Amino acid sequence: MSLQDLLDQERSHKTAMGKAFLCDRVVFRGKDLHQELGDKDWFSLYLFSITGKEYTIDEIKMLNYIWLCTSYPDPSIWPNHVTELAGNSRSTPSLSLMSGMAISEASIYGRRPDRRAISFLQSTNKAVKEGAELGEILLAELKKYRVVYGYGRPLARIDERILHTVKKAKELGFADGEHFQLALEVYRYLRKNKRLSMNVAALDAALCADMGMTPEQYQLFMTPCFIAGMVPCFIDGITKPEGSVFAMRCESIKYSGVEKRSW
Amino acid sequence: MNNSFGYKTKIWFEEPESDNPFAARKSYCHGYDVYGDILSKATWFEYLYLLFKGEKPSPRQAKLLETLALALTNLGPREPSVRAAMNGGVGGATHAASLMSALSVGAGQCGGGHEVYILMSLWETCGLDLGLWLQKLHDPVEDKREDIWKPMEHAPGFDPNGVSCPTPVKQTLSALARYDENGCLSFLEETREQLEASTGIPLSMTGVAAAAFHALELDAHSATMLFLILRLPGAAAHAIEQRHLGWKHFPFYGAHIELTEDAAHFELPNAEELGL
């Protein structure tokens, strides 16, 4: 960016995304928030904020299910654990939930695998359509990165969400989507040849790819998806005696560093 | 004793008080008694170095870390992470929220933590080889997979919007080079103009900070964390100041926002009809 660009930016901030004309109206991606978008449910508005697109009722049901089915109110799950610790340390609701949401942008679960899963399915779908052999793509991916995002799951042998999600996708008519079918084909190949299971990230990514989301849009969509599971953990933490949850005595620290020494 | 959920660590261990297994009588960091020994003998920067590296720093290393911390302590109220904290402070947000906003904005790859992270891997690869630097700066991230981080839009360590290397950057580089035992900062000082000619943009504070972290033999994770931590004091002070000054003295950008895609115009509901 040139100095002139900065000087121009200093004068005004041009945007098509929206503006609040306080005391008058609010424009939200080209529509009047209260008059044109006022009958939407919040979830639909959130999707509109990301893609600028309107979704059908069944698409909204499917996308809503993606969030719902991964809302686990269990404080052993890392983002929830943080939320419960925050509540029990008597932090605030917003700080607790935002810290849980922030650490959901993780590498072994959450947003980075989400993003890579949708990208992988999109690029693989394109390559297969152009004549590439799926098995060769998968073996190359495993050889290079040792992982196919959306397949395999830390801590668990199977992903219970898979069955529910496939059932819901069939009910709502999304099971025939090309990325969805590809995700299942990848699963069958990896189960047979590499004994790898599938986790719900593959199916969620496939469903959103079939609805035309880019990886960026998909990550934005998925960002709050754990939050309904975090709230009960916060409540649990805040209602238990302060400083009491997951108590750990000094001797529970498993130390393997250097011996005692003097400064 | 139930330790089935205990954390594994090479950093820290504790001995409990005799009357309470959950209260530490003594805490040890990399083997040193923190409250019985370190507290009275070490400086904060010696302790910081120990915490991240596992060993005491040499006097020059401690001085290098302290000098870097001084340079990063406050980048002023125009710096995006500091502005973020100020936006928290002016509205009376929680103190943690102001710092969280500073961390989030200051985490990015345009002058932020992730730029330092990328630079640390470049230092690992290029070391003091100018030829490699000139090559790698134009394509600094080898892993091209889709990621939460965007591809770099400029040569890391350089200011994409800069014209010439700002005086404080040169002053910091020069001050740090005095304590550098590995030659990284001297190398950067000597090659700066060649690197700037190649990238077309001037050296930035992230570039200097990463060189200092590499000189301190810190890994990419430690360097990034420390870079984020060491910039927080300025964010905090400015957030507190704006909290006290109040929102009437804080710029509100409403008139600055120019909408390029307007909506159809509608009348507001009639207040009288609504009994308001």
Side-chain angles (χ1 to χ4, degrees):
Chain A
M1 185 172 267
S2 71
L3 200 55
Q4 188 56 50
D5 290 328
L6 283 180
L7 292 168
D8 290 344
Q9 276 290 324
E10 195 185 26
R11 273 192 289 276
S12 81
H13 176 96
K14 292 186 175 64
T15 177
M17 287 294 138
K19 179 176 169 73
F21 297 91
L22 299 181
C23 306
D24 183 12
R25 65 202 177 93
V26 175
V27 179
F28 192 114
R29 295 196 70 145
K31 291 189 186 295
D32 186 298
L33 174 66
H34 303 106
Q35 305 276 8
E36 293 178 279
L37 302 172
D39 287 331
K40 283 188 180 296
D41 58 85
W42 181 86
F43 188 76
S44 300
L45 180 72
Y46 184 59
L47 282 159
F48 180 73
S49 78
I50 296 167
T51 65
K53 281 167 53 178
E54 310 269 351
Y55 290 80
T56 67
I57 291 171
D58 281 347
E59 283 174 332
I60 292 292
K61 280 185 186 170
M62 189 71 246
L63 292 168
N64 180 67
Y65 190 75
I66 288 174
W67 276 20
L68 184 146
C69 90
T70 201
S71 301
Y72 284 17
D74 182 326
S76 63
I77 296 166
W78 298 310
N80 298 354
H81 196 85
V82 169
T83 307
E84 176 124 7
L85 285 173
N88 196 243
S89 300
R90 299 297 184 259
S91 190
T92 70
S94 294
L95 291 172
S96 305
L97 295 175
M98 289 310 106
S99 59
M101 199 147 89
I103 73 153
S104 303
E105 198 173 42
S107 294
I108 63 168
Y109 68 92
R111 305 297 82 79
R112 175 172 272 151
D114 283 346
R115 197 155 177 148
R116 289 193 169 159
I118 193 170
S119 171
F120 173 75
L121 288 171
Q122 286 171 330
S123 62
T124 302
N125 188 49
K126 186 166 174 282
V128 168
K129 275 181 167 177
E130 288 167 359
E133 209 271 309
L134 180 62
E136 284 175 12
I137 294 173
L138 294 172
L139 291 177
E141 187 81 2
L142 282 170
K143 190 177 176 189
K144 190 166 183 187
Y145 299 117
R146 292 185 301 173
V147 63
V148 176
Y149 283 97
Y151 298 87
R153 185 189 187 194
L155 300 173
R157 186 174 52 81
I158 57 162
D159 188 336
E160 62 288 343
R161 294 166 294 185
I162 293 287
L163 299 174
H164 297 294
T165 302
V166 172
K167 183 166 175 273
K168 185 66 79 176
K170 282 180 184 286
E171 282 170 13
L172 293 169
F174 295 104
D176 295 326
E178 56 185 29
H179 294 95
F180 195 84
Q181 284 300 315
L182 175 65
L184 295 176
E185 210 180 320
V186 171
Y187 162 62
R188 290 185 199 105
Y189 182 93
L190 291 177
R191 185 181 58 176
K192 184 180 169 195
N193 296 290
K194 295 289 172 185
R195 299 179 69 191
L196 275 175
S197 64
M198 175 166 60
N199 67 62
V200 81
L203 291 184
D204 292 349
L207 287 161
C208 291
D210 283 333
M211 290 186 207
M213 286 191 200
T214 64
E216 177 92 328
Q217 290 169 339
Y218 180 53
Q219 184 180 354
L220 286 168
F221 165 63
M222 292 297 278
T223 293
C225 76
F226 298 149
I227 204 160
M230 292 177 202
V231 174
C233 298
F234 172 77
I235 294 170
D236 195 44
I238 204 99
T239 49
K240 283 188 162 60
E242 60 184 338
S244 68
V245 303
F246 308 117
M248 189 181 294
R249 62 183 63 205
C250 300
E251 290 176 1
S252 291
I253 293 173
K254 295 169 184 170
Y255 181 70
S256 59
V258 298
E259 294 296 313
K260 287 182 190 176
R261 51 186 171 170
S262 293
W263 190 270
Chain B
M1 183 177 74
N2 179 1
N3 69 356
S4 57
F5 297 109
Y7 296 121
K8 290 181 182 175
T9 174
K10 289 184 175 177
I11 298 174
W12 193 267
F13 74 99
E14 295 170 347
E15 292 167 353
E17 292 285 3
S18 56
D19 61 350
N20 182 357
F22 297 97
R25 182 178 66 87
K26 279 183 180 284
S27 301
Y28 295 86
C29 182
H30 291 293
Y32 296 109
D33 181 343
V34 176
Y35 301 98
D37 203 13
I38 291 178
L39 200 60
S40 56
K41 294 178 184 166
T43 67
W44 188 46
F45 293 97
E46 286 173 328
Y47 183 35
L48 265 184
Y49 189 89
L50 169 75
L51 189 56
F52 284 87
K53 284 289 293 178
E55 292 299 333
K56 285 162 65 172
S58 69
R60 282 165 72 91
Q61 285 172 322
K63 196 66 188 162
L64 178 56
L65 181 57
E66 185 175 358
T67 307
L68 176 63
L70 273 168
L72 297 178
T73 291
N74 186 21
L75 299 178
R78 295 185 306 108
E79 202 280 330
S81 69
V82 180
R83 291 173 78 161
M86 288 160 62
N87 273 271
V90 75
T94 56
H95 303 105
S98 287
L99 293 182
M100 283 164 71
S101 64
L103 286 172
S104 300
V105 173
Q109 49 200 35
C110 180
H114 197 63
E115 186 171 6
V116 170
Y117 182 81
I118 291 168
L119 278 163
M120 294 305 288
S121 88
L122 287 184
W123 271 106
E124 199 61 44
T125 306
C126 304
L128 304 183
D129 185 331
L130 178 62
L132 265 180
W133 275 105
L134 292 173
Q135 182 192 326
K136 293 282 181 186
L137 276 173
H138 296 277
D139 186 16
V141 181
E142 279 185 20
D143 191 341
K144 307 293 186 203
R145 282 179 295 177
E146 180 65 38
D147 198 36
I148 55 173
W149 301 105
K150 292 281 186 198
M152 276 303 289
E153 295 171 38
H154 66 276
F158 295 81
D159 178 1
N161 301 324
V163 176
S164 63
C165 187
T167 305
V169 174
K170 288 189 277 192
Q171 287 171 320
T172 302
L173 181 56
S174 169
L176 293 171
R178 289 205 299 272
Y179 306 110
D180 179 8
E181 290 171 345
N182 292 345
C184 307
L185 290 147
S186 307
F187 168 78
L188 188 58
E189 222 174 5
E190 286 157 17
T191 60
R192 177 177 66 79
E193 287 180 359
Q194 282 169 277
L195 293 165
E196 288 175 341
S198 171
T199 59
I201 46 179
L203 184 69
S204 67
M205 201 59 99
T206 49
V208 176
F213 286 129
H214 188 71
L216 288 164
E217 297 170 1
L218 289 158
D219 68 18
H221 298 291
S222 302
T224 307
M225 288 282 201
L226 278 168
F227 183 74
L228 290 167
I229 292 166
L230 296 176
R231 296 198 309 174
L232 286 179
H238 284 290
I240 293 167
E241 184 185 46
Q242 293 306 321
R243 174 185 287 259
H244 292 316
L245 273 172
W247 63 271
K248 287 181 181 171
H249 299 282
F250 195 74
F252 183 72
Y253 273 85
H256 184 72
I257 310 299
E258 194 179 315
L259 190 63
T260 58
E261 195 176 320
D262 206 346
H265 286 237
F266 296 87
E267 290 294 315
L268 276 173
N270 188 297
E272 216 169 290
E273 284 175 12
L274 294 169
L276 301 169

